[in-house]
Amino acid sequence: MKTRKTEIAIIGAGTAGLSAYGIVKKSTQDILLINEGLYGTTCARVGCMPSKVLIQAANDYHRRHQLKKQGIHGGDNIRIQTDETLQYVRSMRDYFVSFVLDTIDSIGDRNIQGKAWFLEPNTLQVNDQIIKAGKIILATGSTPVIPEPLEAMRKKDNSRVLTTDALFEQQSLPDSMAVIGSGPLGMELGQALHRMGIKTHIFGRSRTVGGLSDPDVIAYAIKNFQEELPLSYTQELCYSERGDEIEISWEEENKSRSIQVKKVLTATGRRPNVHGLRLEEIGVPFDEKGIPEFSPETMQIADFPIFIAGDVTSELPVLHEASDEGQIAGWNCTHEVTAFNRRTPLAITFCEPNIARLGKSFRALEDGTYQTGEVLFDSQGRATIKQKNKGMLHVYGENGSGLLLGAELAAPAGEHLAHLLSWAIANKMTVFDALAAPFYHPVIEEGLRTCLRDLAKKIDSGRDGLEIQFK
């Protein structure tokens, strides 16, 4: 076999891999980028971007139900052509992917397409080549998880059981679908399909939604979504084929229920792509989840000359974290290994209302150390004007100091509220500092101020309500 030497080898050309490549090339041009399968990143090709295009179209179509209240007539005559919508989604997807492909083209012969696996800590085999590298970055991404009963059905007919990777390749959509999973992907896509006029039923296993852990926010969000669409929770689903449909049966509230749908969309998460890399054969330690043990501050795997980044870590599978991890891995491959501070955790689900978690989640808080500020958006001024007045926000603050710790929410404009709060937490602001900041009128952010006021009273009931600060 031909042997090729390089200073740095990067396995995977997704967000993390390309981010690492961008950092590494500042120090050396002796890099190889190795990628198996399609180029274009999970985000641009099958994740963040095409899903948001679909969601936007679905929400725009759903808006027709509210027009008459404003004296705008004709909404009942608006129609959606799902084949044209999907064609538009793909055209926008291709637009976003094109920027990634331009980057790949610029890499030239330093880009190798093929499957890589380890022979030694510094040695890979790729196709019929041996690659010897000083350092290796593992950024192999993830693959959709398909529940076993559906996987067997999919092998017989992959047109009826879809993954999130396959959804946007459909030429049209059926009149009925089931979405398996009530996490971020399931809620985003399930609500979008429903709003496009497709009879959609979402199924969750554990009674949560969009990744929330605060029981009050979960209960509010589930009630809100169930008022709009069918959302069921059960530990076990049974599938059977009924002609050209799939029958799904389950137990809910001690009752047997069943539905028949044309297609099933699996949104039960993604599995890190570590299988087949043969890391175990070179002695790499794994954690209980089957992920190589690594430091999130350096991204180094134990004391190996191997670094890991992106969705393959199974830690925070979102684009900005993958990009950060790629940068950390790239830096530490070309410099003395250094620990980095990680950003304030931030996760957003783009359903309506938006779901978000930031800073410390409710699950991570210690009893007796914090207070919770709460606001409901049901009568909030700007949200009511926009006819989006459904939502709950919880903000957590440290007892005594009022230091902002985290928040969970299902709220209108939640993506923006979450950013404001995450920046406040990153800058170590107290609830009193935040209340001294300007709030315009009328804006949805006034709901955040109401929540902060509630939190401030619980932390220091003796304050007289004066929020502006003395000079």
Side-chain angles (χ1 to χ4, degrees):
M1 286 187 183
K2 177 184 176 182
T3 297
R4 188 171 180 178
K5 293 184 178 181
T6 186
E7 187 175 341
I8 310 292
I10 302 171
I11 311 174
T15 297
L18 291 176
S19 178
Y21 183 89
I23 293 296
V24 169
K25 74 176 183 179
K26 297 178 186 296
S27 297
T28 179
Q29 296 298 309
D30 190 11
I31 323 166
L32 286 180
L33 182 67
I34 304 161
N35 189 70
E36 182 184 13
L38 296 173
Y39 292 87
T41 79
T42 296
C43 175
R45 185 173 288 281
V46 298
C48 320
M49 304 312 285
S51 68
K52 302 312 167 287
V53 180
L54 185 77
I55 290 167
Q56 186 65 52
N59 288 343
D60 288 345
Y61 182 55
H62 183 69
R63 179 77 175 155
R64 74 194 187 281
H65 296 302
Q66 298 171 306
L67 297 177
K68 193 173 181 180
K69 293 180 182 178
Q70 299 168 287
I72 303 171
H73 296 272
D76 293 341
N77 298 320
I78 297 174
R79 297 290 180 267
I80 189 169
Q81 294 292 129
T82 62
D83 56 341
E84 294 178 14
T85 303
L86 288 168
Q87 186 177 13
Y88 172 67
V89 170
R90 286 191 292 274
S91 69
M92 291 295 289
R93 183 270 315 274
D94 293 344
Y95 169 74
F96 294 119
V97 167
S98 68
F99 296 108
V100 182
L101 298 183
D102 288 345
T103 300
I104 297 297
D105 288 343
S106 70
I107 295 173
D109 62 2
R110 288 173 289 168
N111 172 44
I112 302 174
Q113 189 162 23
K115 181 175 177 59
W117 62 88
F118 283 84
L119 301 177
E120 297 175 6
N122 291 92
T123 306
L124 302 168
Q125 182 172 335
V126 184
N127 303 328
D128 58 352
Q129 290 189 74
I130 300 296
I131 307 294
K132 290 189 173 292
K135 302 281 178 61
I136 296 171
I137 297 174
L138 185 60
T140 49
S142 60
T143 303
V145 173
I146 306 173
E148 184 54 42
L150 289 173
E151 177 62 16
M153 195 174 288
R154 182 170 175 264
K155 287 179 179 177
K156 291 172 59 179
D157 183 357
N158 64 6
S159 68
R160 290 204 280 181
V161 178
L162 307 176
T163 67
T164 51
D165 282 5
L167 177 64
F168 308 115
E169 299 304 322
Q170 303 303 299
Q171 296 303 305
S172 62
L173 294 171
D175 58 10
S176 61
M177 290 186 70
V179 176
I180 313 303
S182 63
L185 284 174
M187 293 310 303
E188 286 184 353
L189 296 174
Q191 187 184 56
L193 292 169
H194 166 77
R195 291 188 167 191
M196 292 171 70
I198 296 164
K199 187 179 179 181
T200 306
H201 200 126
I202 303 175
F203 292 94
R205 187 174 176 85
S206 58
R207 197 170 179 80
T208 186
V209 61
L212 293 169
S213 69
D214 186 312
D216 291 337
V217 184
I218 290 170
Y220 183 97
I222 288 176
K223 182 178 182 294
N224 179 72
F225 287 118
Q226 286 179 332
E227 289 173 355
E228 179 181 344
L229 51 77
L231 169 60
S232 297
Y233 290 90
T234 181
Q235 291 295 306
E236 185 177 3
L237 292 170
C238 297
Y239 306 92
S240 58
E241 298 179 66
R242 294 287 185 267
D244 64 347
E245 294 187 320
I246 297 173
E247 182 174 88
I248 303 174
S249 57
W250 72 99
E251 294 287 330
E252 186 175 7
E253 297 179 347
N254 298 317
K255 293 181 180 179
S256 297
R257 299 187 60 188
S258 68
I259 59 169
Q260 292 186 0
V261 295
K262 296 290 187 182
K263 293 181 187 290
V264 175
L265 173 67
T266 64
T268 51
R270 299 179 69 92
R271 179 182 296 111
N273 292 331
V274 295
H275 181 72
L277 292 168
R278 302 185 185 179
L279 288 163
E280 61 280 357
E281 296 182 16
I282 61 170
V284 166
F286 286 78
D287 64 19
E288 66 279 1
K289 296 179 181 178
I291 308 299
E293 293 182 359
F294 70 97
S295 164
E297 295 178 340
T298 67
M299 305 313 296
Q300 186 173 13
I301 296 177
D303 58 354
F304 285 77
I306 305 170
F307 296 78
I308 190 169
D311 288 2
V312 69
T313 68
S314 193
E315 286 284 301
L316 296 164
V318 290
L319 181 138
H320 70 274
E321 295 288 355
S323 179
D324 284 355
E325 289 171 0
Q327 290 188 44
I328 294 170
W331 177 273
N332 281 333
C333 276
T334 51
H335 298 78
E336 182 179 349
V337 175
T338 303
F340 285 75
N341 287 322
R342 300 299 298 269
R343 298 180 201 260
T344 300
L346 173 62
I348 300 171
T349 299
F350 292 88
C351 48
E352 285 195 344
N354 295 158
I355 290 172
R357 292 172 292 118
L358 56 115
K360 281 190 175 182
S361 67
F362 176 86
R363 185 185 294 116
L365 296 168
E366 290 185 38
D367 289 342
T369 65
Y370 69 97
Q371 297 291 335
T372 301
E374 178 180 291
V375 67
L376 296 176
F377 286 81
D378 300 50
S379 59
Q380 200 274 331
R382 185 65 185 279
T384 302
I385 292 169
K386 292 166 71 70
Q387 299 184 66
K388 295 184 177 181
N389 52 321
K390 294 289 185 182
M392 174 184 278
L393 166 63
H394 276 191
V395 177
Y396 316 118
E398 185 178 66
N399 277 333
S401 71
L403 184 69
L404 294 173
L405 302 173
E408 295 198 18
L409 59 96
E415 59 180 293
H416 306 300
L417 300 177
H419 274 87
L420 289 175
L421 282 165
S422 65
W423 293 351
I425 291 169
N427 283 283
K428 302 187 184 307
M429 292 175 68
T430 69
V431 62
F432 310 110
D433 295 329
L435 282 168
F439 288 85
Y440 205 75
H441 174 76
V443 293
I444 287 177
E445 285 76 6
E446 286 178 297
L448 169 59
R449 182 176 62 184
T450 302
C451 185
L452 293 172
R453 284 172 171 170
D454 182 52
L455 177 61
K457 287 178 184 177
K458 291 173 179 175
I459 288 175
D460 187 353
S461 59
R463 285 194 172 237
D464 57 10
L466 188 67
E467 293 168 356
I468 54 176
Q469 297 176 343
F470 292 104
K471 191 170 181 180

